[in-house]
Amino acid sequence: MAHSRQIGIGIIGGGYMGKAHAVAMQAVGPVFDPKLRPRCEMIATTSAAGAADKARHFGFLRSTGDWRELVADPKVEAVVIASPQGTHQEIALAAFALGKPVFCEKPLGRNLAESRAMLAAAEASGVVHMTGFNYIRTPASQLARQIVAAGEIGEITYFRGEHTEDFLADPATPVSWRCHGRAHGAMGDLAPHMLNGALALAGPIHALIADIETVHRQRPGPDGPEEVTNDDQGHLLCRFESGAMGALHFSRVATGRKMGYAYEITGTKGAIRFDQEDQNALWLYQGSARADRQGFTKILTGPDHPDYLPFCQGPGHGTGYQDQIIIEARDFLHAIETGQPVWPTFADGMRVNQLVEAAFRSASGQCWIDVATV
Ligand SMILES: NC(=O)c1ccc[n+]([C@@H]2O[C@H](COP(=O)([O-])OP(=O)(O)OC[C@H]3O[C@@H](n4cnc5c(N)ncnc54)[C@H](O)[C@@H]3O)[C@@H](O)[C@H]2O)c1
């Protein structure tokens, strides 16, 4: 006897994240056995032929070259937006107008105004809305949140975080869409994951001062050298509402860094260190240890840690990038099933866009910005 109910899922985008969400929707049943089971109903990309090929590849029943058709289809009951940021607002508003729950990849909107409009539409619709900040869902980062929340490292005094990669470190790498538009630069595109992480781990940020720059101002284009119009790197100092200080660094030209989503949290009783390049480990320093045993200890994730066991019974065997997306799918489906909001909502996505906007204002005005005024 079937114990689960089905929901028709429509995914927009068949690239890097479209595939990740398609795999997650196929795998979430076997991994988590949710009460609400996804049915991979329809996928949309920019062409009918391309979408049909993705549907065959990813196991979707139907496909379309027009996202509007997907959103309007009665058998598509929830929408996953995995297309570039410039498309997010229009798709989300169309889905909410029809009362359909939406999962939207980060960054929520291209800018703060778009994110605010998306949040308003989400709240007016009364349906589930979720933003795709996946890195904070690793078992190790969930454990870090538990340790902080339990007060095990005491009061946080300092948060140091980064999201650094090197995919544009070589100035000979040709220009692409990533080199234009604020929403595609280091601050607009990479910073959101770590800004969300900082908020989740250390609480709201009330003020910041930022510096942002383009390191390689020209790159080869199809017709010769082309101007790069967005930023390669940036950093900011901030104050959390708790009083803690913070320093955050974002870069797509950080030579050697492949997935440098990393943080160190200093507390009055202990400290935590994490690096996504070693995502199955959390480093914990406990000030209560006897003097000759003090030091950062490597905790290798295993079945005793959040969301690890459904993937693997063996401690230390590890989870990976795709597993974060499966955890997101579980949480999205659970929220739809129960009608309960799921963190991070569009409000959390909007707050990240607010910090990005504050950073740009600070960098151009060379001054501290009170985030509440943005
Ligand atoms: N959470 C993460 O780890 C992560 C990683 C990478 C990208 N992203 C985000 O995911 C989103 C997609 O990025 P990506 O790397 O998958 O891009 P991509 O270029 O690999 O794929 C984009 C897909 O969207 C489709 N698309 C573009 N415009 C469309 C339209 N108007 N209608 C229908 N389909 C359309 C394209 O056909 C393509 O299949 C972006 O918002 C990006 O910031 C998130």
Side-chain angles (χ1 to χ4, degrees):
M1 192 178 72
H3 77 291
S4 54
R5 198 161 68 74
Q6 275 202 349
I7 182 167
I9 302 290
I11 295 186
I12 297 165
Y16 177 15
M17 291 315 293
K19 180 173 181 178
H21 287 290
V23 172
M25 288 299 171
Q26 298 287 7
V28 68
V31 174
F32 285 110
D33 196 14
K35 285 195 183 132
L36 190 58
R37 292 268 178 155
R39 184 182 64 253
C40 291
E41 186 64 42
M42 195 184 275
I43 187 161
T45 68
T46 45
S47 76
D53 189 49
K54 296 295 178 188
R56 178 199 57 77
H57 181 173
F58 301 160
F60 277 70
L61 296 169
R62 292 179 295 145
S63 60
T64 173
D66 178 3
W67 65 261
R68 289 176 183 79
E69 189 188 329
L70 179 149
V71 170
D73 192 281
K75 288 191 173 165
V76 171
E77 296 159 285
V79 175
V80 174
I81 305 175
S83 44
Q85 24 272 53
T87 64
H88 293 184
Q89 177 181 237
E90 201 182 358
I91 298 171
L93 265 53
F96 290 136
L98 293 170
K100 299 190 180 184
V102 177
F103 176 100
C104 183
E105 263 308 329
K106 50 57 59 180
L108 188 57
R110 255 179 307 198
N111 52 45
L112 181 56
E114 283 195 3
S115 283
R116 284 197 165 127
M118 292 169 77
L119 173 60
E123 290 181 336
S125 77
V127 296
V128 165
H129 43 98
M130 182 173 180
T131 309
F133 294 122
N134 45 291
Y135 293 107
I136 196 70
R137 276 176 156 70
T138 54
S141 279
Q142 290 193 57
L143 176 63
R145 290 185 75 194
Q146 288 182 349
I147 290 171
V148 169
E152 287 180 53
I153 62 166
E155 299 297 317
I156 295 175
T157 53
Y158 202 85
F159 183 96
R160 185 167 61 78
E162 64 178 271
H163 188 133
T164 47
E165 301 189 28
D166 71 354
F167 57 89
L168 286 176
D170 182 353
T173 301
V175 78
S176 73
W177 60 268
R178 291 189 176 282
C179 300
H180 302 294
R182 270 191 179 181
H184 303 135
M187 190 58 72
D189 186 49
L190 295 185
H193 279 299
M194 180 45 64
L195 290 170
N196 172 68
L199 297 176
L201 289 156
I205 291 171
H206 86 81
L208 61 81
I209 184 165
D211 200 4
I212 300 169
E213 73 166 2
T214 309
V215 175
H216 302 303
R217 294 180 172 277
Q218 280 192 339
R219 292 185 178 275
D223 307 314
E226 203 177 299
E227 198 75 15
V228 172
T229 57
N230 61 14
D231 53 296
D232 286 329
Q233 64 176 7
H235 57 185
L236 58 88
L237 300 177
C238 65
R239 276 281 182 184
F240 292 86
E241 282 180 9
S242 67
M245 296 172 81
L248 303 169
H249 167 213
F250 315 106
S251 175
R252 60 188 187 184
V253 296
T255 307
R257 279 304 237 166
K258 305 301 173 187
M259 206 330 147
Y261 173 96
Y263 52 82
E264 180 157 343
I265 313 170
T266 308
T268 50
K269 294 188 199 163
I272 284 173
R273 279 204 327 240
F274 174 78
D275 190 332
Q276 189 69 29
E277 291 182 0
D278 189 15
Q279 67 173 283
N280 287 289
L282 188 72
W283 293 82
L284 176 65
Y285 180 92
Q286 291 173 298
S288 56
R290 45 184 258 207
D292 64 346
R293 295 290 188 277
Q294 283 187 356
F296 274 94
T297 304
K298 182 176 186 174
I299 303 171
L300 211 47
T301 53
D304 291 324
H305 298 123
D307 287 337
Y308 183 100
L309 182 58
F311 291 101
C312 179
Q313 296 177 24
H317 289 47
T319 59
Y321 176 80
Q322 180 64 53
D323 300 332
Q324 302 156 28
I325 316 299
I326 299 171
I327 295 169
E328 286 185 323
R330 187 269 320 267
D331 293 347
F332 184 50
L333 293 167
H334 184 256
I336 297 169
E337 183 222 328
T338 60
Q340 296 301 311
V342 56
W343 181 86
T345 65
F346 275 25
D348 300 292
M350 184 280 290
R351 276 190 273 278
V352 165
N353 272 98
Q354 188 181 26
L355 292 171
V356 171
E357 175 66 29
F360 277 114
R361 285 193 200 178
S362 168
S364 63
Q366 298 189 313
C367 58
W368 279 89
I369 298 286
D370 180 347
V371 177
T373 64
V374 174

